[in-house]
Amino acid sequence: MKSIKYYMKAAERRKILSNRKEFYLDYVCRQTGWDRAKAKAEMDLYLEQGVNYRFYFKKRLWCRTGKKLEASLANIRKDSRYDKTSTNKHARLVAEESGWSQKKAVEKILESNLYTECSPRDYYQFRFWEKSIEEQKQYYTKGTVERMIMKYNTNSEEIAMIRNKEKFAKVFGDLFHRVWFSNRKLTFEEFLERTEGLSSLICKPIFGTHGEGVEKLAVPEDMEGKRQLYDLIMSKPKSVCEELIVQHHELAEMCETSVNTVRLVTILDNDEIHYMYSVLRMGTGGLIDGYEGGGIFAPVDVTTGTVCRDGMNLDSEFYQVHPVSQKPIKGFQIPNWDKVLKLAETAARRLTGVHMVGWDIAVTENGASLIEGNSESNYQFAQLPYIPEGKGVRYKFEPFLK
């Protein structure tokens, strides 16, 4: 016979899921102007196709038609498969760390998701098996991030622009402070003009992420070599080529092979700019500074521009000193911090329907240069450095979740 506790938990679960469903319905009504009956009818049509309310909300299916709708549905199927794979993968890892069976790990991950909207990856990376549900609620998780993004980033055209490096450069090129061009509709004469006086170029695929496909190319001095470089660049998939950034010498001393950049997340709310969190990203001998490419990162105090914790990598290994240069990490003062903040605010105020952005910024001898924006910035940056202390940073975002 099932206990009273079982029925209480089941009732609590139904209440939580009902509240979440109501949140999705309310959001769709606000975005579309539909009444609740119509919104529910439309969302239920997709529910019959295996698309739950969360995915309908996340993929903005109310404004998708034709090929865009087909692409969104394909992405939903892909994400659903990933969710199942991720649950099993991270349950195995949690079981290894906690001593639980994999079945119990899955149950705990699902229970935590109910109360905190965490992903399986969140559960593992934030070591939730060591924490009570109340302690877990102090963390900024994937589900809460999705709701923040949907609240502040509503303009799909601007989101698409930010994700397309060529379109982004056309809008923000004056904040780059460097030469840039795309490898389409570019004559050899225009190429010569754009690369005059340059010794190197960085080429990036238009839709690349995590540094994938990024190349550093030397610009030859002789005309034959220039022609060969032009032919090579024009043969690549659609890309943006940029003048190599010369970073501030103090940052170059950390790791000279990569441009070591600042990720600064801003929210523009009621015309007021909020600097939510920042990290300094450092390479470890390669071209890319992002941790996906083997780099490390460390949190930065947004008020002072001072690195306030040790560095760490994707495997949660911590570094008091940089593994290549042996430079101390904690306490490092990022040069020109006031100019970094000003650049981020200038960029943020240029957007009309995307108000939560992670800006990647290079610090130069005399100022700061914009690299790119991210409408879905990596939220793990905000919390992973504090895992040894058992601290979450949801409190920073709580006022903006309402």
Side-chain angles (χ1 to χ4, degrees):
M1 186 173 179
K2 293 179 178 177
S3 66
I4 293 175
K5 186 176 180 181
Y6 171 87
Y7 288 110
M8 288 177 65
K9 278 195 170 185
E12 186 177 12
R13 174 182 173 82
R14 286 195 298 271
K15 182 178 178 181
I16 292 171
L17 292 177
S18 177
N19 289 341
R20 201 171 291 177
K21 183 177 178 180
E22 292 299 309
F23 168 81
Y24 296 142
L25 275 167
D26 287 341
Y27 183 89
V28 172
C29 288
R30 289 196 301 271
Q31 293 297 311
T32 62
W34 297 339
D35 60 30
R36 291 179 66 78
K38 179 172 174 57
K40 186 177 185 305
E42 292 290 331
M43 296 169 77
D44 285 347
L45 285 175
Y46 284 93
L47 196 59
E48 293 170 4
Q49 301 175 47
V51 177
N52 62 29
Y53 279 24
R54 171 181 166 249
F55 277 126
Y56 186 95
F57 155 85
K58 182 180 177 182
K59 299 298 183 180
R60 305 174 192 266
L61 294 189
W62 62 87
C63 60
R64 299 281 189 265
T65 58
K67 291 184 177 180
K68 288 185 178 180
L69 176 59
E70 291 176 11
S72 293
L73 292 174
N75 285 333
I76 288 171
R77 289 190 289 271
K78 180 179 177 182
D79 288 351
S80 296
R81 290 193 296 271
Y82 172 80
D83 286 350
K84 292 178 182 178
T85 302
S86 181
T87 298
N88 291 330
K89 171 187 173 182
H90 290 99
R92 286 196 298 272
L93 294 172
V94 169
E96 291 172 5
E97 293 273 356
S98 65
W100 295 340
S101 67
Q102 186 169 335
K103 180 182 178 181
K104 181 176 179 179
V106 169
E107 290 173 352
K108 289 292 186 179
I109 289 171
L110 295 177
E111 179 186 23
S112 182
N113 173 265
L114 180 67
Y115 291 98
T116 71
E117 298 183 86
C118 74
S119 69
R121 182 183 180 189
D122 291 341
Y123 192 95
Y124 174 69
Q125 287 193 314
F126 301 153
R127 301 185 70 84
F128 274 5
W129 66 89
E130 298 176 341
K131 301 171 177 64
S132 68
I133 291 295
E134 289 305 311
E135 290 171 329
Q136 293 173 25
K137 288 179 180 179
Q138 299 172 16
Y139 283 75
Y140 188 47
T141 60
K142 184 176 182 179
T144 52
V145 172
E146 288 177 356
R147 290 197 280 127
M148 288 282 288
I149 290 170
M150 295 298 285
K151 177 180 178 180
Y152 285 101
N153 298 347
T154 58
N155 188 320
S156 57
E157 290 184 1
E158 283 192 335
I159 292 171
M161 175 273 292
I162 289 172
R163 293 174 177 173
N164 182 308
K165 290 181 173 58
E166 181 182 20
K167 292 181 179 179
F168 182 84
K170 288 178 179 178
V171 174
F172 294 98
D174 60 307
L175 303 181
F176 282 15
H177 306 305
R178 61 189 180 277
V179 173
W180 74 272
F181 56 88
S182 70
N183 66 342
R184 290 296 181 269
K185 298 181 180 179
L186 181 76
T187 67
F188 181 56
E189 289 70 26
E190 289 171 330
F191 171 79
L192 292 176
E193 181 182 342
R194 302 285 176 83
T195 58
E196 184 177 359
L198 302 185
S199 59
S200 299
L201 291 172
I202 294 290
C203 288
K204 310 172 183 177
I206 291 254
F207 293 106
T209 59
H210 307 313
E212 294 175 358
V214 176
E215 289 184 273
K216 180 180 178 181
L217 302 173
V219 179
E221 295 183 0
D222 63 288
M223 193 58 64
E224 182 180 353
K226 290 179 185 293
R227 168 59 78 170
Q228 291 175 351
L229 177 60
Y230 169 78
D231 290 340
L232 172 64
I233 289 174
M234 296 303 288
S235 69
K236 292 181 176 295
K238 196 169 186 180
S239 304
V240 166
C241 298
E242 302 174 357
E243 176 183 0
L244 183 67
I245 295 171
V246 179
Q247 66 186 326
H248 194 284
H249 70 277
E250 292 179 14
L251 283 162
E253 288 172 1
M254 277 289 184
C255 180
E256 62 181 5
T257 64
S258 61
V259 177
N260 306 302
T261 61
V262 169
R263 167 70 61 85
L264 177 59
V265 175
T266 61
I267 290 179
L268 185 63
D269 185 74
N270 292 324
D271 202 42
E272 183 179 355
I273 195 76
H274 300 270
Y275 303 106
M276 301 305 297
Y277 64 91
S278 180
V279 294
L280 174 63
R281 305 188 305 179
M282 298 158 279
T284 53
L287 179 61
I288 304 302
D289 65 343
Y291 71 62
E292 299 90 347
I296 61 178
F297 66 95
V300 175
D301 182 333
V302 295
T303 60
T304 65
T306 305
V307 176
C308 53
R309 289 289 189 280
D310 292 338
M312 69 178 300
N313 64 12
L314 190 60
D315 296 322
S316 295
E317 297 170 330
F318 287 83
Y319 299 86
Q320 292 183 330
V321 299
H322 192 281
V324 175
S325 66
Q326 301 303 303
K327 291 279 185 181
I329 295 174
K330 183 179 178 180
F332 177 76
Q333 176 63 52
I334 297 174
N336 301 326
W337 186 248
D338 58 334
K339 295 178 180 178
V340 170
L341 295 180
K342 183 61 179 176
L343 179 65
E345 178 174 4
T346 300
R349 291 189 180 280
R350 194 167 291 186
L351 297 166
T352 59
V354 178
H355 294 313
M356 180 178 171
V357 182
W359 304 102
D360 290 343
I361 298 172
V363 181
T364 59
E365 292 294 342
N366 300 313
S369 297
L370 183 62
I371 297 177
E372 65 183 31
N374 301 270
S375 59
E376 297 187 14
S377 183
N378 190 319
Y379 62 96
Q380 282 92 355
F381 280 153
Q383 289 176 134
L384 286 177
Y386 302 94
I387 294 302
E389 301 169 30
K391 291 172 58 178
V393 299
R394 184 186 170 99
Y395 69 92
K396 291 185 178 180
F397 298 88
E398 201 67 51
F400 304 95
L401 283 164
K402 298 175 182 177

